[in-house]
Amino acid sequence: MERTVKPTSPPLPDAGGLLDGIPGQRAPRRTGSPAAPALRPRPRLRIPVPFTLSYGAVLAVTSYVTAHADPALVHALHQGSSTDVAHLLRTPVLVLLASALWVAGGFASPFTLGFLIVLTALERRVGAARTAVVFLLGHVLATLATEGPVGLAVLAGHLPDSSLHRLDYGISFGVATSVGALAGLLRPWLRWPLLAAFGGMLLQDLIGFTDPMTNWGHLIALATGVAAWPWVRRWSRAHRDAAAAAAGRQSS
């Protein structure tokens, strides 16, 4: 009579579908429900170039007034905003700011297109406040550098007294300074052709002798922007670092 031998070890698990000699083929069972992904805060809507867009909107309004208002009113507004010698002696800060609210030649002027392109590129690299500093610096310095000699020439008797009320307004000095400053942030293959093309255009206007004081002012403004390269390059690095730090805080 045969005896039945009971197994001394538990039966082996079903290994169907597994390959011999390859460990770790069975994935461990997960217990509990999977953790829900963390919700990130929705990024705030940011205007990339607030200074350029806001300033451009103001210029669009004043250009519309110039094109559609009564000519006598427009002339009075331009005359009151003019940075001539007489106004600079009485209300320098007011007219230096007010004169930059108008576009000589209207919104279709080439300087308007230059304003939008150049200031957008500069503001993306150095920020809104520093772009405003560059623009106003060139506007103020070039205005004083051109109107100062006019006042001295009137005192010396080389120009008539009517030169003290010479109409002078517009954004062209600020745009020329911004072109010079932006060139310092570009690669050499783009920097030098930009300076050569823009500077050549200004020299051609000066040689034409149509408005020598304004033409000299444009060249002075461009040189002011070039002289600001050490500052704008430092500002550009600081702006990149601040933008990187802000992006890191948003992603964490």
Side-chain angles (χ1 to χ4, degrees):
M1 185 175 180
E2 295 180 354
R3 298 176 61 185
T4 303
V5 179
K6 296 182 179 181
T8 58
S9 60
L12 295 175
D14 182 17
L18 300 182
L19 299 177
D20 294 336
I22 302 180
Q25 296 182 70
R26 292 186 181 274
R29 294 183 179 180
R30 297 182 178 179
T31 58
S33 59
L39 296 178
R40 295 183 178 179
R42 183 175 298 176
R44 297 179 181 178
L45 179 62
R46 297 182 61 187
I47 301 176
V49 283
F51 173 72
T52 303
L53 293 180
S54 301
Y55 200 170
V58 172
L59 295 176
V61 171
T62 57
S63 298
Y64 181 86
V65 171
T66 300
H68 296 88
D70 182 74
L73 174 61
V74 172
H75 178 74
L77 291 173
H78 287 168
Q79 188 66 53
S81 304
S82 174
T83 51
D84 52 52
V85 177
H87 280 126
L88 286 173
L89 291 176
R90 292 198 301 265
T91 55
V93 176
L94 178 62
V95 294
L96 282 169
L97 294 177
S99 64
L101 301 179
W102 306 91
V103 181
F107 204 71
S109 167
F111 276 100
T112 304
L113 179 61
F115 171 91
L116 295 175
I117 295 176
V118 173
L119 267 74
T120 295
L122 183 62
E123 186 171 352
R124 287 183 179 275
R125 288 166 171 81
V126 302
R130 290 158 178 159
T131 300
V133 169
V134 170
F135 185 91
L136 290 176
L137 179 67
H139 176 70
V140 171
L141 291 182
T143 297
L144 297 179
T146 51
E147 292 295 340
V150 172
L152 294 176
V154 171
L155 287 176
H158 299 301
L159 289 176
D161 292 345
S162 59
S163 299
L164 298 176
H165 304 279
R166 170 181 172 270
L167 197 61
D168 187 11
Y169 64 90
I171 60 171
S172 58
F173 290 167
V175 173
T177 305
S178 300
V179 171
L182 176 63
L185 301 177
L186 302 177
R187 296 184 181 277
W189 65 268
L190 185 58
R191 175 190 309 150
W192 302 117
L194 173 63
L195 288 177
F198 189 71
M201 181 187 72
L202 299 183
L203 285 173
Q204 186 176 5
D205 292 341
L206 182 62
I207 294 172
F209 213 70
T210 54
D211 188 357
M213 295 304 299
T214 300
N215 299 146
W216 273 115
H218 289 154
L219 289 172
I220 293 171
L222 179 63
T224 301
V226 172
W229 283 1
W231 289 276
V232 294
R233 286 169 175 170
R234 191 179 307 121
W235 292 344
S236 179
R237 290 191 295 268
H239 186 69
R240 286 198 306 266
D241 294 342
R249 287 194 298 267
Q250 289 182 356
S251 62
S252 61

